[in-house]
Each structure stands twice: as structure tokens, then as C-alpha cells.
Amino acid sequence: MTITIPDKPLSRTDALKQLTAPGQPFAMQVLDIGGTPCRVYVNAPNSLRELFAENRSDETFFVYEDERYSFEDMYQRASTIAATLVNDLGVSRGDRVAIAMRNYPEWIMAFTAITSIGAIAVAMNALWGPEEMAYGLSHSGARLVFADQERVDRLARCEPSLDIDIIGVRLNEPVPPGVRLISDILAMPAAMPVAEIDPDEDTLILYTSGSTGHPKGAVSSHRAVISALLSWEIDAAASALINNTEPLVLPYQIATLLGVPLFHVAGSHAVYLSCYRSQRKLVGMYKWDVETAAELIEREQIASFVAPAAMTGDLVEAALRTHRDLSSLLVVGGGGAPRAPDQVKRIATTFKQAIPNTGWGMTETNAIGTGISGQDYLDRPSSSGRVAAVLDVAIMDEAGNHLPQGQRGELMVRGTSMIRGYWDNPAANASSFTDGWFHTGDVAYQDEEGFVFIVDRLKQLIIRGGENIGCGEVEAALLNHPDVIEASVYGVPDERLGEEIGTTIYVRKAVDEEALRGFLVDHLARFKIPRYISLTFETLPRIASGKIDKIALRAKHSKGLGL
């Protein structure tokens, strides 16, 4: 790539203009996608299938405990699985195939296989309980599901029982009737089936909690996912151009730590899928444990770690109290929930070489949106950064008018990485999109340099350690209890997680809190079960419209907790 570096410092706008010019690796053109003019990368892979095939190599790709796989190893295993899906199970283009497991190597093998044959991967939340799993599988119309032992056990508890094929992963108990083992499939190597895939075909459904009711299935195309990956690449290239720095060369393979789940866009996109073109080593964890994370960073010489504020805060504390050598860390990224300004400074001072960065993104944007790093972040620790190259953002009032710089309104976004909509949910699509613009539900303003500052939320969502939790979904589960008459759910401030779940419940008679939580286990994932419960024998207070006064209840409960 030949770029002319001027005498005076480049602005980000000028850097992006150079990088996206005709003939450059990040060259762009404008295409109409779903009725919206979108900027697309001319040289991007046409599909995830192409991304995987183009980046086969003998470099180490995935490390899980004592297992190590090269990019070629993973591709060959994915090819064998794909051949079984097509030839034995009759999976065809557009069919939905679910993945429900922890961060095992088989998650990536299954995802590669599904998306490489033109089927649609349904990446299910591994923390879901039986009712949530049954909803996701039924709503998506999944043909089959790849599931580990814990998820197989939960599927057996679904009522009514589900008529779905199961491919078992790492089962350590007697195999239920009708369940195929992935180990048996992998014992018969086969070539990747032939498939022609259009960039704008559906490839992924991720379920995301909304402000009411069931989670919504966000549907992404190959182009949307890949445009997000290249947008992180161009941000790095722009930063190097602005600062006149050369690409980093290390005496060992650059590695990244997978401490977040693969069923979220942070894990699947920002961590996992970003490894292919950069040939990064990905070091997986079964689940987050800060002591294990510190040991892995030291042993595998991890260079980058991306996680919500609660987890990066854990790592800062671990660095201060342990004797682990974490000096290999070069980037400590964030997202999912804002960091406290003090944590931004502590990242910069605690790790010898690490640059703090963060961004704002959603499942609906395929994880990108805005980004900020380095000195910009240290100077503006409350900002979420500037908009990605393939997206547009706007601040609008309730009437849909664009607001000037500095004024607060709803953050709206549109562009190439956006989902095409929600699976089988026309009502949600109608309420979420207006003339190509997506309603984020976040209140924000933009300064004169283009930095976005998110200050509030419009939607009834709790963000607990980066997990979006819909208040309406938790309220509905509480109302299933025979002694609960009314329930109001809200966020309670929490130093580590940002927010915890609180609820005020109007009950018919006294209810034991632990018994109530036990009742909720079959209705909700454990992370959605309220930590703070306030019981009352009186009707919950109302606002003028007749709705429950959630703000007053939250304030009263938080005050009672001394928060």
C-alpha cells in the first residue's frame, strides 16, 4: 500500500479518504443494500466461506487448554462437518443450524461449516435455561443443534419436548437416543462441499434482549459481518497513518485472549473472526476466571484482550495483586458497557505497553459503531469514539429531526454492517427502522470533532457486565409465579458490573426470596435473575399514564440498599 504522508498531521477524515481511494486495499464504492445507499469495501471477501478458505495456514489458530489447532486443522474439521450436514442430514442453503455450547473448539468448527455451505448459524446464548432454548430453536426454525453436555441436559428438560436433531459435543454421560456425536463425524474426513454464496445472503442469527418480551433474532448477511471486520482493520491503518508508525512486528505470533462468549458479537466478531486475516492465535477460555486469564496471558504472550468493563477491571486488579508477567499486553479493549474514567487511566498505568481502547456497538451493528483508543481515549474517557467507516450516525429528536452538535437526542445509525432486520418479527422491524435509520435506544450527543458521548438509555434495558437484559422479559418470568401480582424490574448501580438487577414485587402473601429465585431458574438464564428483591403487599405506584413508576421504585430501592 503506497500512501503519501504530508508534512502536517493528517486528520482522521483525510486518513480514511486516502485509505479508501480507488486502487487502495480498503477502496470503497456505494451500493444500494435494502433500499439504503451503503459504502462497501471493493476488495472484501464475498462471504465467510471465502474468508475461511483464503486464510488457511499452518499457523496456530486456536488454543484450548492442552489442545492446539492450526488454521488448516480447523478448516479440515469444519469441512468434514459441512459434508455431513449436506450429504447425511440434508442441510441446504438458508436452513438454520444452531450452536449451543461454551467456547469449545467445536463451536468454531461448527460455525465455519454452517456458514460455508450457505446455511444460517443460530448462535444461541449458552447461559439460557430450557424455556429460552426452546424459544430460540422454535422461533428460528433450526433444523438441528450442536450442543455440549450441559445444553443437551437442558434440552431434555424442555416442555413440550423438542423435535430436533442434536449433534453432541464433548458428552461425558451416556449418549441420549438419537444424538449423534461430533467425534464420530470427525473420524471420517471429507472435503468441503461446493457452494456459491452471495454477499447479501443471510448467514447469522444472534438473539438479543429487547425492552419487552422474548429476545429478538438479529439477522446478518455475509457482507455485514465482513464489513465490520474490515472496519476494525481500517481504523488501525488510519491510526498508523496519522501517527506515522510502521506495522508492529513481534518475534512471536500475535495472540488474543477469548474470555468473552462466542455467542456475543464481541466474542464472535471482535475476537474470533478478526483473527483470520491477521493470522492471530486465539486462546480460548471455558468461562471467565481472572486468575486463569492472567496465567494464559503470561504463558501464551497474549497481546490483546477485549472484554466488558467488569472483566478488564478484574484484570487490572489481578495485575496489581499477582506476580504474573502481563507485559505482553498491547491492547486492552472494551465495549458492551462504559468504563469508569478511572479504569481507563489505570489500564494505561498498570500495563507496561497496553493501549486502552473501547467502542460502542450492538448486535444489530455487528459489533462496530464508534471507536476510540490511545491518547484520544485518555483525553476523553467518557466518549465512545468516532463512527466506523461503513456507518453513519445521527442524533435525532422524537420527531426525527437531526440535532446539531452538542445537543442530546436518540443515537441513530445506518450502513453496511447493519442487520437486515429481526427474524420473523415484523413489529420489531417496523419500530426499530425508520427510512434506513436504526433506533439504538441510546441518548447521546456528538461534539465538533465527531466524538460520540452516550449519556442515557431510552429503552428498558439493564446492561449487566456487558449482557443486555430486557426488563420486560424478567417481569414476565416473575409474573408466572402464582403469588406475584405485579413486578417492576430495573437496574441497580454496581461497581464491578455497572448494573445489577433489582425488582419490586407486589405479592399476595409472603414469598421466600431464595425460593423465588429457584422458581425463576427454569424460566430465565441465571444472569437474568434479580439480585435485589423488594416485596410489598401494596399496588405498585403509577405515573400519570397509569404505568408503573419504575424510576421512583428504583430510587427507593437503591436508597434502601445504601446506593
Side-chain angles (χ1 to χ4, degrees), residues 471-514:
C471 294
E473 181 185 4
V474 181
E475 288 164 353
L478 285 163
L479 291 171
N480 282 324
H481 192 284
D483 294 320
V484 174
I485 302 171
E486 293 179 338
S488 181
V489 173
Y490 40 77
V492 175
D494 184 85
E495 184 176 352
R496 178 176 176 271
L497 297 172
E499 286 183 304
E500 263 290 5
I501 307 168
T503 182
T504 302
I505 306 169
Y506 170 30
V507 293
R508 290 185 174 87
K509 61 182 182 181
V511 177
D512 180 77
E513 290 187 17
E514 286 309 309

Side-chain angles (χ1 to χ4, degrees), residues 539-563:
T539 302
L540 301 185
R542 301 299 204 262
I543 58 176
S545 67
K547 295 180 180 179
I548 293 173
D549 191 345
K550 193 181 294 284
I551 294 175
L553 289 171
R554 178 175 57 206
K556 181 179 179 180
H557 198 175
S558 297
K559 183 178 180 181
L561 294 168
L563 301 173

Side-chain angles (χ1 to χ4, degrees), residues 195-384:
E196 294 293 330
I197 300 174
D198 185 86
D200 295 312
E201 285 185 40
D202 296 341
T203 190
L204 173 63
I205 298 177
L206 285 162
Y207 278 86
T208 178
S209 291
S211 55
T212 59
H214 289 294
K216 296 174 292 189
V219 186
S220 292
S221 68
H222 291 263
R223 191 196 304 274
V225 174
I226 291 169
S227 69
L229 307 182
L230 268 65
S231 291
W232 283 309
E233 291 183 23
I234 197 175
D235 279 345
S239 178
L241 190 57
I242 292 166
N243 296 303
N244 193 18
T245 56
E246 295 295 325
L248 178 67
V249 178
L250 294 175
Y252 49 83
Q253 185 182 7
I254 291 181
T256 189
L257 181 66
L258 177 64
V260 291
L262 284 163
F263 54 76
H264 280 318
V265 285
S268 60
H269 294 35
V271 184
Y272 154 48
L273 289 171
S274 294
C275 289
Y276 282 95
R277 284 164 57 98
S278 61
Q279 292 286 285
R280 289 204 310 260
K281 176 175 67 175
L282 182 60
V283 180
M285 300 178 67
Y286 176 79
K287 65 178 180 178
W288 175 246
D289 177 85
V290 69
E291 302 296 338
T292 302
E295 189 272 329
L296 288 172
I297 291 169
E298 180 180 59
R299 187 184 80 200
E300 300 289 342
Q301 295 182 289
I302 302 291
S304 68
F305 174 58
V306 178
M311 292 167 62
T312 55
D314 289 347
L315 195 61
V316 169
E317 295 300 323
L320 294 173
R321 73 171 183 267
T322 70
H323 298 292
R324 294 288 184 189
D325 180 5
L326 307 183
S327 60
S328 62
L329 279 173
L330 302 177
V331 175
V332 178
R339 281 194 182 110
D342 180 63
Q343 188 186 126
V344 180
K345 296 175 183 176
R346 292 178 74 193
I347 288 171
T349 57
T350 301
F351 304 109
K352 294 179 181 179
Q353 305 180 78
I355 298 172
N357 70 26
T358 194
W360 167 90
M362 306 175 71
T363 302
E364 288 85 351
T365 65
N366 277 289
I368 65 167
T370 62
I372 188 169
S373 66
Q375 194 60 48
D376 281 340
Y377 192 18
L378 292 170
D379 292 341
R380 305 167 185 82
S382 59
S383 174
S384 297

